[in-house]
Structures are given as C-alpha cells and as structure tokens.
Amino acid sequence: MTKDKVVRLTLTSGTTGKSKKIPYTQQTLTVLELTLGSLVINIMNADKRFKLQSPLQRNFIILCPSTPAPKEAGIPVGPIAMIEQSQKKFLAAVTTTPSAGYDIYTEFESGYVHMLFGICDRYIASIESPFTPLLLSAFQVLEKHWPQMLNDLETGCISSTLNIPAEVRLEINKQIKARYVPERIQFLRREFEKGFVGIATRIWPTLQYFSGINLGTCNEELCRTYTKGLLEVSPAYAGTEGLFGVNLSLTPPFLYTLVPSAVIYEFIPVEQSEDPNPEIMFGDSVKVGEQYEMVVSNPTCGLYRFRFGDVIKVVDFYNATPTIEFQYRCGQILNLRGEKVDESAVYESILKCVKKWPNQRLVDFTSAESELLPDSERQTGPAYYVIFIEIKGKDGEYVLTADEKSTIDSALCDQAFAYKSYRDKGSIAPMDVRQVKPNGFAEFKKYILDNSTASVTQFKQPRKLKTPEMLAFLLQNTYDIDSSD
C-alpha cells in the first residue's frame, strides 16, 4: 500500500459506518498539519477582518482525547485528533489548557477542565474544536456548572465530584493555584449572572472567531446563544483520508477550493454513484452546478481511488481548480423508490416547520426507512420514512400534535420533487414523525460512543439509522404516539 514507514493507524469516525484504519506515514501528517496550517495562516493574514495574533496570546482549543487503544505491531492506533505524549507540552504552551488536561478521556470532565482554564485567560484569540458539537457541549457545561467552576478557582481545588485520576487531579490543582486572579473571578461571576447569550465576546474581549466543522444544528445553536456576534470560521474541508480543500473566505458560506498538492481528486456523477462501472472524471471535466461523489487517491497513506462517501456540488472555479460545497454522505440518503432524498432536504423541511411552532427550536434529528422497524411498530401498506426529532422551548416541555407532525411531510414534498411525486402516486406512505424526549439525542450519542469505535472528538450524528439496535434505542426514548393526539 505504501513503501514508507507507517507511524500511526488512524481511525475514521465510525458513527456513520464501520470504522476503518488508515495507515499514516510521516508525510501524511506533514501534509495535514503543515500544508493546512500554512495555507490557513496565509489566508487569514491577507484578510483584514483578522488582527495579527500576539505571540503572548493563547488559543482556546477543546479536544477530548480518546482512551489510548492497544498498539498494533507497535504502531499507535487512534482517531485523527489523537494526542500523543510528545504533543502535550506543545499544546500546553499555545493553548489555555495545561498538559494534564489532555489526560482526561471522558467528555464531561474534559469539557469542564478545558472551560475552567479557558475562562481564566482574558486575552485568548480564538476558540477552536475539530467539530462544533464538542464546542457546544463545553459551553453547556459552563452554563450549568459555572458556580462550581468559580468555587474551584477560589479554593484552588477542582471539584471532588469529577471523575479524574488522582495524579491528573493533583497536577490540575497546581495549575489552578498558579492562575488564581480574584478580580477575574469577580468579573466572571458578574457576567455569568447576566446570562449566557453572547457570553464568549463578553468574557474574552480580544476573541476574534470560533472554528470547527459544522455538524447538524450545532453552529446555529452556538451563533444564537454562546457565540452570538462572533465571527464563525471553517478553514478547511478534511477527513481521515486527507486534506481536501480550504475555504478562501474562511467564513460562511462554507465553500472549499480543492488543494491539488494534498491528494488526487476524481469525481463520479452522483446519478452514477451506484453503477458498477461509473464514469470517473478529473477536476477539469466537472461542471458548475452539478453534484459528484468524490474519489481520492492519497499515496502517502496507501489510498487509491478510495470512495469515502462524500457527495459535493461544484459551485465555482478558482483559476482551474474546482470550488465545492459539501452536500451529504452517500450512505445517509433516504431512498425507498429511487427518490434519493438527502439529509439537507430533510433538515430544511424540519427547520421550516419548527420555526412555525411557538417558541421552539430544533435540538437534533435523524431518520430511518420503515423496513427497519419491528413488525409491532410498522404500519401496513407502502413503505415510508420515520423521522425522529427533538425540540426545546422557552416554556418547558412541548409535545407536538399530530397536525404539527404532518407539516414536516408537506414541507418535504415542497423541498424534494421526486419524493412528492411518489407521495402523490401513493407509492410512499406519509412519514411517521416520532418526537424524542428531552436529552434523548444526548443519550443516543452516549449509546453510540459506548457501542462503537467512535471518539467524542469525531462524533457525527447519523442522519439515517441503519441498525435495528440504534432504531430500538431511539424508539424507547420517544413520546407515545397517543400522547400527541
């Protein structure tokens, strides 16, 4: 596969399919780290919206390391964001979190410690995380537990209720004592008592942006609450398979220009993605406005014509290089009769309806095809979609009525012509909308992490359920159908 020495077996996320191990060489890491880093720095330096960062400023980076996996043939195994021992001192020098903070492997405790040291530093330049769900989770921990955090800072001792190894706890306590500033704690208490909308820019006045790969509704929730008024940045489109593109504008809309020096790109017209011998074309043959399944070859890690499942839309060209927009993953579309409804259509339809419901917002969603349902749950007649949604309102628990649920089916008909056609013919029955109970998707995330090789840092909410076990878990966390009538 590759003649070079393999230095790491890097795991794909494992939340939308079986996790794969991709061999990384030193050159793979160099392309990902140095090429991406230099490109983004150059783009940012040329953009007048960003001020030059002082060498004394730290960045607030939220990472939750996965529990170290056993080595294979002496080679480390872990996700793309795995933190090796040699990296911890460097991270501690450039981020707000001390090196001991990277020895915590549980999401809650990791987010708590990152946020505890993050709020100590008034002068941070940016907030970053590989994926925005981890960033949102850390802010939610802050909102709920800030009194305890301030008490930790005042006493110089982190809460005994946290599940942190004794040796790590000892080092963290030393670092808390070293960062004790009474005036800062008093300032934070006053700001937290005012509420958490726009809290990021209030407690970090030098903050320039937040960054992370957007998944689902997380960016929308962050911009509505904690990071309101802060610049949102998505510098790159990358995966375990390699670096794919960079966002030349850095900010929304998130369009990525491919990096020809990183990997070799080929494209399959999306309508041929299921053909046994599809047409494969290079970047100079793609057309603006068309959708393609991306195929990559990355000789540095032994990938040749690897189909990793991302469907993109070509939106422009930068010189002769395609500029693309991510659309969906091949395995995440709903397809009962050949209609091929992707997650963006489902998301937009749900969002359109949620906005009409009183004081409600969408927490998360997923879907399934009715054939996956157990016999006791499945309706007779034509097949249909099952949509799971969780909503949250200002006035407490809100249970959707049957009429409110039915509006999602109508909205999807407006959004997807092929779906409407099959609905009009009666070939697809009306969708079954199941409302997930509060915190149901948080429990679902924990279930997936406990039953797969997925890491917290790389977690992606599956938009189409493929196993009876996942479906059964969500069914157990929904309101009874009768409760909405």
Side-chain angles (χ1 to χ4, degrees):
M1 293 173 66
T2 176
K3 64 181 178 60
D4 298 320
K5 181 182 178 181
V6 174
V7 297
R8 179 192 296 182
L9 293 175
T10 307
L11 300 172
T12 58
S13 69
T15 51
T16 58
K18 187 177 180 181
S19 181
K20 303 176 183 66
K21 296 172 186 172
I22 296 179
Y24 272 26
T25 64
Q26 191 56 52
Q27 189 180 356
T28 314
L29 293 172
T30 299
V31 170
L32 275 172
E33 295 170 2
L34 297 184
T35 304
L36 175 58
S38 61
L39 280 171
V40 173
I41 289 171
N42 287 335
I43 294 168
M44 196 167 285
N45 287 343
D47 193 321
K48 294 181 180 179
R49 292 174 298 175
F50 299 95
K51 298 177 182 177
L52 188 64
Q53 183 174 332
S54 165
L56 298 177
Q57 278 185 296
R58 294 171 184 258
N59 295 311
F60 180 18
I61 299 180
I62 300 175
L63 294 169
C64 182
S66 57
T67 304
K71 291 184 177 182
E72 296 189 12
I75 301 171
V77 180
I80 190 171
M82 71 182 291
I83 302 170
E84 296 185 38
Q85 197 64 37
S86 59
Q87 296 173 297
K88 291 177 183 177
K89 286 187 177 179
F90 170 77
L91 284 170
V94 299
T95 74
T96 54
T97 305
S99 58
Y102 297 103
D103 290 322
I104 299 171
Y105 304 110
T106 50
E107 183 178 8
F108 173 76
E109 281 78 8
S110 177
Y112 186 103
V113 169
H114 279 304
M115 196 56 82
L116 181 69
F117 287 100
I119 61 177
C120 289
D121 192 334
R122 183 180 187 273
Y123 299 102
I124 66 172
S126 66
I127 306 175
E128 303 172 29
S129 188
F131 296 99
T132 51
L134 203 59
L135 183 55
L136 177 61
S137 175
F139 271 108
Q140 289 170 338
V141 169
L142 175 65
E143 182 175 15
K144 186 174 182 180
H145 298 279
W146 68 264
Q148 180 60 57
M149 287 182 173
L150 296 188
N151 183 69
D152 293 349
L153 295 177
E154 287 176 323
T155 61
C157 185
I158 197 164
S159 172
S160 60
T161 62
L162 298 180
N163 180 26
I164 297 175
E167 64 278 9
V168 176
R169 180 183 294 275
L170 186 64
E171 182 58 33
I172 285 175
N173 286 344
K174 290 179 183 177
Q175 293 295 328
I176 292 174
K177 292 181 177 73
R179 304 187 193 198
Y180 174 64
V181 180
E183 296 79 12
R184 178 67 177 168
I185 296 171
Q186 293 169 13
F187 169 78
L188 290 171
R189 180 173 284 109
R190 289 195 299 270
E191 293 301 320
F192 293 156
E193 288 173 347
K194 294 176 185 176
F196 279 79
V197 174
I199 190 65
T201 54
R202 290 182 2 235
I203 65 173
W204 297 302
T206 60
L207 191 60
Q208 296 195 57
Y209 63 89
F210 79 92
S211 171
I213 297 174
N214 182 27
L215 297 176
T217 60
C218 289
N219 276 35
E220 181 179 297
E221 176 68 4
L222 282 165
C223 292
R224 189 187 68 83
T225 55
Y226 308 113
T227 61
K228 186 175 182 179
L230 187 62
L231 204 59
E232 176 186 2
V233 166
S234 180
Y237 171 35
T240 312
E241 301 81 5
L243 169 63
F244 306 138
V246 292
N247 180 7
L248 297 179
S249 71
L250 295 173
T251 53
F254 294 139
L255 309 177
Y256 304 94
T257 300
L258 301 182
V259 183
S261 62
V263 298
I264 300 167
Y265 308 93
E266 293 178 284
F267 303 85
I268 297 173
V270 70
E271 61 272 13
Q272 298 183 35
S273 62
E274 295 181 8
D275 294 354
N277 294 298
E279 177 187 5
I280 301 179
M281 56 184 66
F282 286 113
D284 60 349
S285 301
V286 298
K287 296 179 180 178
V288 172
E290 296 297 316
Q291 292 186 350
Y292 302 90
E293 178 190 344
M294 278 185 66
V295 181
V296 297
S297 295
N298 188 345
T300 71
C301 58
L303 296 180
Y304 297 94
R305 283 195 163 176
F306 185 73
R307 298 176 67 171
F308 61 103
D310 280 13
V311 173
I312 56 89
K313 180 180 180 180
V314 178
V315 296
D316 201 355
F317 280 85
Y318 180 80
N319 295 327
T321 305
T323 297
I324 63 173
E325 181 180 32
F326 174 80
Q327 299 294 294
Y328 59 89
R329 290 185 60 79
C330 287
Q332 298 288 290
I333 63 172
L334 294 166
N335 189 26
L336 295 172
R337 297 288 185 268
E339 71 282 8
K340 296 183 179 179
V341 174
D342 63 68
E343 64 180 77
S344 62
V346 177
Y347 173 64
E348 292 299 331
S349 302
I350 295 172
L351 204 59
K352 179 181 177 181
C353 296
V354 172
K355 289 177 179 178
K356 296 179 181 178
W357 300 335
N359 297 318
Q360 301 300 309
R361 61 178 177 81
L362 179 65
V363 174
D364 218 331
F365 76 97
T366 190
S367 62
E369 294 168 352
S370 60
E371 285 93 337
L372 198 63
L373 287 167
D375 292 342
S376 60
E377 296 278 352
R378 190 166 58 243
Q379 302 168 17
T380 58
Y384 53 91
Y385 298 166
V386 184
I387 306 294
F388 294 90
I389 65 169
E390 181 182 339
I391 57 174
K392 184 176 181 180
K394 295 179 180 178
D395 304 319
E397 194 170 336
Y398 182 86
V399 181
L400 295 171
T401 66
D403 287 342
E404 286 171 325
K405 291 180 179 180
S406 69
T407 61
I408 299 177
D409 188 66
S410 300
L412 187 57
C413 286
D414 294 338
Q415 192 76 23
F417 174 79
Y419 176 73
K420 182 180 186 302
S421 175
Y422 284 108
R423 285 282 293 107
D424 289 345
K425 294 174 187 175
S427 303
I428 297 178
M431 68 172 60
D432 178 8
V433 177
R434 302 291 183 103
Q435 184 179 352
V436 177
K437 294 177 182 177
N439 298 313
F441 273 103
E443 291 298 316
F444 186 49
K445 174 182 176 180
K446 185 176 184 302
Y447 169 81
I448 293 174
L449 292 172
D450 289 344
N451 291 276
S452 71
T453 57
S455 68
V456 170
T457 300
Q458 287 181 283
F459 178 81
K460 302 172 186 175
Q461 186 69 258
R463 296 305 178 196
K464 179 183 177 182
L465 305 180
K466 296 182 179 180
T467 69
E469 293 78 15
M470 283 189 180
L471 184 65
F473 184 91
L474 273 184
L475 287 172
Q476 292 170 4
N477 286 276
T478 58
Y479 291 102
D480 294 336
I481 296 176
D482 293 341
S483 66
S484 63
D485 294 336

